[in-house]
Amino acid sequence: MALADSDIAYLRRALRLAMNGRGRVEPNPMVGCAIVNNGRVIGEGLHEEFGGPHAEPIALASCTQSPAGATVYVTLEPCCHTNKKTPPCAPRLVEAKVARVVVGCLDPNPMVNGRGVKLLRDAGIEVEAPALEGPCKQLIAPFIARATNGRPYVTLKWAQTADGKVAGRGGQRLKISNNRSTRIVHELRSRVEGIMVGINTVMMDDPLLDARYASRPRHPARFVLDRDLRTLADARVVTSNAASTHIFHGVLEGAASRKRRDELEARSATLAMLPTGEDGMLDLSAALLGVAGAFCHELLVEPGPTLAGSFFRAGLVDRVWVIASRQKVHEASAPSAAAVPPDFVVSGRIDLDGDELTEYLNPASPYFFAAEPSADLVLAKGLG
Ligand code: AOF
Ligand code: ZN
């Protein structure tokens, strides 16, 4: 049977449901499932928590009538491998005697990747796969980065004024975004595995880079790009032990920088030397390899305009969040925000109590599959 409009609508429902697992299922993918019989949803569920049951068994258990003969809509291919935390889902669907399974996208996990679909078909179940590949892959883009062992999924985020400035006169610090925006950003911080800034941000703002205002504070590892090792041993990013701190630097010369290195290491910071590129700056591809080496496959970069420009030029950006406030600086000497490259696509835009959050995706990224709003953006809408 070919795909009907209603099939896509049920998959979309499962996709929205899956998003509610964001921040709790990682490093697993978000997955949603709806079970339909005679045009009625008889059960649904999502993968809610890492280590907990998958979406399909939750949906099966919620069924208000027997799932025998029903159609199962699931955003990700049901799993079939056994060397893991929970029993495989595909055999459960066979046992439940469902008639048809509509799969959003295949599981990029090499342990599954088509085998789940084959198991279902071999059992005589009709399978449509992949039925909504772009949106279902985009939902789990950071998981795809992890499963394929590529560079981390990279989000750049910054705030700017209505006249495109990121600071006040002569670069003075300026509070730009409102409290609601700060909370949304802390939610995002609590969901990623790593957060990165340049040394100028550490020197100017002395940030903690944690997720203290998130509903479930889970603090990402911190990465500082600091070619000349200027981070002070009493910088808050070093002294606060909410999460690990990694400092990437270039070749160090002289006793002073060696002393600094010893002081930072004594405070448990992890230091790593990186090559520099033609522009004399730290090589960002090497930095991302270092981030992945620290088991971080989803990275939030909170850059100043210079670092943002370097990331864009290197082609290493997957997603951008720009938070624009309504205020204007009216000051020529105030530094301007980086420009989002014109080929990036807007995947969504929401109002945050007067601030405007725009999400852009890079269509040239290896982790771009569809211009769909991320779970972070969709969930931000509902957060008061
Ligand atoms: C599904 N449904 O809801 C999810 C799947 O350690 P486990 O048992 O949680 O298995 C994790 C793997 O299962 C994960 O790497 C991915 O391949 C798949 N995730 N599969 O059928 C789900 N979350
Ligand atoms: Zn499963």
Side-chain angles (χ1 to χ4, degrees), residues 46-83:
L46 69 140
H47 184 39
E48 285 177 0
E49 196 131 25
F50 179 73
H54 284 180
E56 302 91 319
I58 293 192
L60 283 173
S62 80
C63 279
T64 52
Q65 64 183 66
S66 166
T71 297
V72 174
Y73 295 89
V74 59
T75 57
L76 185 73
E77 176 182 14
C79 65
C80 54
H81 56 313
T82 48
N83 55 338

Side-chain angles (χ1 to χ4, degrees), residues 28 31 47 54-56 77-79 84-86 89 107 109:
N28 274 351
V31 182
H47 184 39
H54 284 180
E56 302 91 319
E77 176 182 14
C79 65
K84 60 188 197 63
K85 294 192 158 49
T86 64
C89 298
D107 187 344
N109 180 347

Side-chain angles (χ1 to χ4, degrees), residues 35-38 40-43 59-70 96:
I35 303 180
V36 176
N37 208 356
N38 293 326
R40 254 178 18 104
V41 177
I42 60 167
L60 283 173
S62 80
C63 279
T64 52
Q65 64 183 66
S66 166

